[in-house]
Amino acid sequence: MRHFGHLTPQVRQRLFHREPGEFTADSPARLLSAALGATLYSPATRPHLADDVVKQAARGVVSMVLCLEDSIDDAEVEQGEANLVRQFAALAALPAPAALPLLFVRVRTAGQIPDLVRRLGPAVRLLSGFVLPKFTGERGLPFLEAVQAAEAACGRRLFAMPVLESPELLYRESRVETLEGIFRAVDKYRDRVLALRLGVTDFCSSYGLRRAPDMTAYDVQIVASVIADVVNMLGRADGTGFTVTGPVWEYFRAQERMFKPQLRQSPFLEVQAAGLRETLIEHAMDGLLREISLDQANGLLGKTCIHPSHVLPVHALSVVSHEEYSDAADILRPERGGGGVLRSAYTNKMNEVKPHRAWAERTLLRAEVFGVAREDVGFVELLAAGIPGGPAAP
């Protein structure tokens, strides 16, 4: 699989200076954690779930979570488990299962993990791992132990993606202790933990809050403070950190807006692009684009998504710009090992080799999976190329 693999080779060649690389479910964890992109959630009870997975893969989705937790009613868990087993069997019977996205199951209890792996039988080869809810150091360890045991039982590598969403993490008086406990747990099972996911909806619920489509998670100060502390303690670039993914964006319907649209006009000056801007604003997507940009600025990579329309914006804004790539490659030249300061090839900034090295390494990893845009290609062109019925290329 590859990002933007749903576009024709000709279109990709016109969009990318360096095309997104291919990867599989068996690729190194470091690569897969960066490649998750827009992880699309779907309730495990959907009757045509296998068809949905195939359809979304054809539209560019590379990671999905099939949810047995908050997205379904408590009374539907048994039905959801049975449906998952049936749908995995249907997917395993397809002639080309390699075209499927990375598939994860979000469970409610640790006991579901070995039970589902056993019930999946041979179809477990399509499973990449489990999403672990309400994760803390104490509650999370049984889940991680279950993933390790299930992996040993089925003989297939299985990853864990803990969701950080508990009240203990939100409350100031218990936050540091909770983060320390989480770190001890995930560090012990570091080889199993693909990424840490932020459950911002649960954070907001603890205070009866819900952000409007005009606002991002970073405008809700209680939530923003948690994100900052999670990245501070769990997302460090010194080799001890983990990939932390961006919070879910809840909105996908047009509704009356209270505030002026925030999506600036300058990237949309051409007539065709201006039409795209109006479409994005109409569907409350300008807030999503702003939040993705803030995710990246705050050290997050990838995003939880609950609607297919969110996938392309996440991926388009994850592509490395030609300028970023130029700076990162220059900083990491072997002859720069001694440090120093150099002028950017774009002559608009100074690149300080030692302080910017970690940023450059992360940028080149992102370039490996999302590609590098051509010098004259921005996220507007990437969005337009991927929208059904949109222009095929810039």
Side-chain angles (χ1 to χ4, degrees), residues 65-66 68 84 88 103-107 116 127 129-131:
V65 172
L66 313 179
L68 288 166
L84 268 183
F88 264 85
L103 296 176
F104 301 86
V105 175
R106 180 170 176 169
V107 292
L116 283 170
L127 179 67
F130 294 91
V131 175

Side-chain angles (χ1 to χ4, degrees), residues 247-266:
V248 68
W249 181 258
E250 298 179 344
Y251 295 95
F252 51 89
R253 294 178 180 173
Q255 63 182 57
E256 183 181 356
R257 304 180 59 89
M258 182 178 296
F259 299 114
K260 181 179 179 180
Q262 298 169 338
L263 195 59
R264 62 191 181 93
Q265 295 191 25
S266 54

Side-chain angles (χ1 to χ4, degrees), residues 3-4 15-20 34 296 301 314-329 346 359-379 382:
H3 285 290
F4 297 94
L15 290 171
F16 291 97
H17 168 75
R18 173 180 170 181
E19 290 192 34
Q296 294 175 359
L301 181 61
V314 173
H315 291 170
L317 283 172
S318 297
V319 173
V320 174
S321 71
H322 188 272
E323 181 175 349
E324 288 176 312
Y325 180 71
S326 173
D327 288 339
Y346 275 68
W359 168 84
E361 291 171 346
R362 285 187 170 186
T363 299
L364 290 192
L365 179 61
R366 182 159 56 95
E368 189 172 347
V369 291
F370 287 101
V372 178
R374 288 191 178 276
E375 191 170 358
D376 58 345
V377 171
F379 81 92
L382 292 162

Side-chain angles (χ1 to χ4, degrees), residues 82-95:
N83 188 55
L84 268 183
V85 173
R86 287 193 301 272
Q87 302 297 332
F88 264 85
L91 289 170
L94 294 174

Side-chain angles (χ1 to χ4, degrees), residues 129-152:
F130 294 91
V131 175
L132 315 180
K134 314 293 188 292
F135 194 93
T136 64
E138 182 178 356
R139 288 198 296 269
L141 277 175
F143 284 93
L144 292 170
E145 291 165 355
V147 172
Q148 185 178 55
E151 179 181 281

Side-chain angles (χ1 to χ4, degrees), residues 185-255:
V186 295
D187 187 52
K188 181 178 179 181
Y189 291 89
R190 180 172 291 273
D191 292 343
R192 294 284 167 298
V193 177
L194 189 61
L196 305 176
R197 312 200 71 89
L198 286 164
V200 164
T201 301
D202 279 38
F203 289 156
C204 290
S205 73
S206 295
Y207 287 89
L209 305 175
R210 186 175 192 178
R211 68 188 190 276
D214 310 273
M215 297 183 180
T216 72
Y218 302 91
D219 294 313
V220 183
Q221 292 300 302
I222 290 176
V223 171
S225 71
V226 181
I227 295 174
D229 287 343
V230 167
V231 174
N232 189 329
M233 296 186 68
L234 300 174
R236 299 178 185 180
D238 60 0
T240 66
F242 296 83
T243 295
V244 182
T245 65
V248 68
W249 181 258
E250 298 179 344
Y251 295 95
F252 51 89
R253 294 178 180 173
Q255 63 182 57

